[in-house]
Amino acid sequence: MSEQQEIDAPVPSGDSSGKDHSTRLLMGGSIVAVIAVIGIAVSLFIAFRGGDEPLVPAGDQGSQAITEVQNTQFELDPYFDSAGRVVYVPLDERGVALPQSSPAANRSAATAPSGIMLQRVHGNMIVPFSTSDGPTGFSDSGVATGFARTPQGAGLAAVHYFGYLATGNNRIEMLKDAGLVEDTEGLLAEQIKYNAAGVGRANPDSSPYGVFEMIKVNYNNDLARVHLGATIQMKDGRTENRDAWTDLVWRDGTGWVLKIGDASTTSMKVVPDFADGWTSWW
């Protein structure tokens, strides 16, 4: 994290104190600034693909599962998001857990989960559901659970749970109430305090969340590091490729849990490109 420079993201006019505070946190490697900037990044990212190929290949969004559930559990019409991906709107704001089937044997960590469907949950969070690696249910607080103990399940869980961290205190509380985040150094309390102050790059309650386009998973059966990638349009017209990563640990009886400790467990950096193991699942 010490190699990073300040993220060039919008700051409310006249709020130089918030900008200075966020800069200090970034330079010090604080997870607070990382989460704050991720909240901005997911609302600004633009995805680039080679040529004119579609973002979602035909037949890659779990058409069979969609057919089984859409008539009664989703609004009539899906829509395209800003990256051209098909998004379904469930009638239940938590989302719809799709029917599950066993994945293909000997999948690599880069292989996409089967039957990916992007759903808009809680009004403005776009997150992926699959027919092979979960989720299979929801916590009492409304957070998706039941992600498989696989690289794909860890990746899906990270996309969901990162979203709750980056979209305001009300959603952080949802994740905490579900027991899906471990904060060994009290950094989440610092983030909550920063959000509540409403300055600089604080994330208001119920901020929007759009799924990062690129993903890479470093997997162990008990521990996974999930990298999420996006190309960000800067204020001066430049673009930068951002790699935001977080660690998840497997807890029997709970499943994948976000582990927040220091800059080694959750951080962000600029990368030259999305080669070397990066892929897109949606």
Side-chain angles (χ1 to χ4, degrees):
M1 190 75 174
S2 60
E3 298 176 356
Q4 287 182 243
Q5 298 178 348
E6 181 187 1
I7 304 298
D8 186 11
V11 177
S13 60
D15 190 5
S16 60
S17 62
K19 181 180 176 69
D20 291 343
H21 177 60
S22 185
T23 301
R24 289 195 301 270
L25 290 173
L26 273 169
M27 298 305 291
S30 172
I31 184 59
V32 174
V34 172
I35 293 173
V37 172
I38 287 169
I40 295 172
V42 295
S43 66
L44 296 178
F45 86 90
I46 53 176
F48 290 93
R49 296 282 289 252
D52 296 322
E53 63 182 296
L55 286 170
V56 180
D60 195 38
Q61 283 210 344
S63 56
Q64 180 177 355
I66 293 172
T67 300
E68 292 178 7
V69 298
Q70 68 176 341
N71 292 336
T72 59
Q73 294 177 278
F74 291 88
E75 292 186 4
L76 181 61
D77 296 323
Y79 68 94
F80 289 106
D81 71 1
S82 60
R85 300 170 297 195
V86 178
V87 178
Y88 287 79
V89 182
L91 299 179
D92 186 333
E93 69 169 12
R94 303 173 305 171
V96 174
L98 303 176
Q100 299 291 299
S101 58
S102 298
N106 301 318
R107 290 183 303 177
S108 72
T111 301
S114 300
I116 287 289
M117 177 200 278
L118 296 181
Q119 299 182 24
R120 192 183 75 197
V121 304
H122 301 300
N124 62 1
M125 296 177 66
I126 298 176
V127 288
F129 289 67
S130 84
T131 60
S132 59
D133 296 270
T136 59
F138 302 92
S139 71
D140 290 342
S141 61
V143 182
T145 59
F147 294 96
R149 196 173 187 176
T150 61
Q152 290 75 12
L156 292 169
V159 173
H160 278 250
Y161 301 161
F162 229 10
Y164 286 88
L165 287 185
T167 57
N169 287 348
N170 60 329
R171 292 191 178 141
I172 291 175
E173 291 299 332
M174 292 169 68
L175 195 65
K176 289 174 60 181
D177 289 346
L180 296 170
V181 58
E182 294 182 2
D183 180 16
T184 59
E185 298 183 13
L187 297 175
L188 209 50
E190 189 179 349
Q191 174 66 34
I192 291 170
K193 182 179 179 180
Y194 184 62
N195 284 344
V199 298
R201 299 186 177 98
N203 298 323
D205 282 358
S206 302
S207 296
Y209 180 69
V211 62
F212 282 53
E213 210 225 333
M214 306 303 294
I215 191 167
K216 180 170 65 172
V217 182
N218 302 120
Y219 182 77
N220 177 280
N221 203 38
D222 299 311
L223 174 69
R225 174 163 291 178
V226 179
H227 297 258
L228 303 176
T231 301
I232 307 298
Q233 179 73 59
M234 314 300 285
K235 290 191 298 183
D236 62 3
R238 295 178 299 113
T239 60
E240 286 188 353
N241 299 317
R242 297 289 172 79
D243 170 7
W245 70 85
T246 189
D247 289 356
L248 298 92
V249 291
W250 181 267
R251 299 294 186 223
D252 290 338
T254 301
W256 291 113
V257 175
L258 279 181
K259 190 171 183 64
I260 297 177
D262 54 25
S264 68
T265 61
T266 304
S267 194
M268 180 187 287
K269 66 180 179 181
V270 176
V271 294
D273 54 45
F274 293 122
D276 189 27
W278 287 92
T279 187
S280 180
W281 289 352
W282 30 76

